[in-house]
Amino acid sequence: MTDQPETKRAAPVVVEHSGRTLEGWEWSGVDGAPPLIFAVRDCTAEIVEPLAERLAKTFRVIAVSARGQWDVITTAWWAGEPAILVAQGDAGALACRAADTAKGAFRALALADYVPAQGSGDHRGLTVPALVFRGRQSDAQSHQQAVALHEEIAGSHLVEPEDCGATPSQSCAGPFAEAIEWYAGALGERSMDFATGQATVDPAG
């Protein structure tokens, strides 16, 4: 029987880099794990913890209160690039801008319940691999909005699990974490089916 890594509880962290000082939280259960940054407008451990505790078995999870794209980019530089970048809700806008501005800083982007503002082009032209996540019972983003976002981000993948509502970091942290881990793993495989990025993908299927 393989021993599972022990996940550390949330620990306060201060990100200091390039003249910026940001406060956030960190979870990690594996030494040398690759960084995963969760960009949140107003970060509290409670918002991120259900998801972070699952992901910390694979990643070094860092959640920060980000007010703009440079807060996110600075965190990636501090944590060690390239990082996986995760955002939900309206934080998706600054995550898209960060991934577009500092392309080498991020390995992949996962967006949950993100509905771009009308006329916004933050997500168009992204070159970083992107996962669009929406729970089928979410009232924060409709199926049509998720499909539109997926189609507007070239090569992205759309995952819509059942029994999953809005704010997936809390309401369905298990399926959200599985989708992120599946996507990060698939990036290394680069299968032909994965590379097309055209179909709705169910990681459980």
Side-chain angles (χ1 to χ4, degrees):
M1 183 175 179
T2 303
D3 292 335
Q4 293 294 319
E6 181 181 353
T7 302
K8 298 176 183 177
R9 302 290 294 178
V13 64
V14 177
V15 176
E16 293 183 314
H17 194 284
S18 302
R20 291 174 180 266
T21 301
L22 306 170
E23 294 183 355
W25 301 89
E26 180 175 351
W27 297 256
S28 181
V30 182
D31 290 339
L36 181 147
I37 298 167
F38 199 117
V40 185
R41 292 286 189 183
D42 295 296
C43 180
T44 65
E46 290 73 23
I47 291 174
V48 184
E49 192 152 43
L51 176 67
E53 288 189 341
R54 289 167 170 83
L55 289 173
K57 295 178 175 63
T58 306
F59 301 100
R60 175 190 177 198
V61 181
I62 301 155
V64 294
S65 293
R67 298 299 180 180
Q69 68 199 57
W70 286 105
D71 288 346
V72 180
I73 294 168
T74 297
T75 304
W77 289 341
W78 175 84
E81 53 187 309
I84 302 287
L85 177 57
V86 179
Q88 67 184 9
D90 62 359
L94 60 88
C96 288
R97 290 195 293 272
D100 188 49
T101 301
K103 295 177 174 62
F106 303 102
R107 180 170 171 242
L109 172 64
L111 300 169
D113 283 347
Y114 172 48
V115 180
Q118 188 172 4
S120 169
D122 292 327
H123 58 289
R124 294 185 175 92
L126 285 173
T127 58
V128 64
L131 172 71
V132 176
F133 184 95
R134 173 193 176 265
R136 287 193 179 274
Q137 284 68 48
S138 174
D139 57 4
Q141 181 188 41
S142 69
H143 169 71
Q144 291 77 12
Q145 288 170 325
V147 170
L149 181 63
H150 160 56
E151 291 177 344
E152 290 173 355
I153 302 177
S156 67
H157 275 256
L158 173 61
V159 174
E160 290 189 285
E162 292 286 358
D163 302 318
C164 185
T167 316
S169 67
Q170 293 176 295
S171 68
C172 56
F176 193 16
E178 289 172 7
I180 292 169
E181 290 175 335
W182 162 80
Y183 192 65
L187 286 175
E189 295 173 7
R190 290 291 183 183
S191 66
M192 291 300 293
D193 179 64
F194 177 85
T196 63
Q198 297 302 311
T200 299
V201 178
D202 179 357

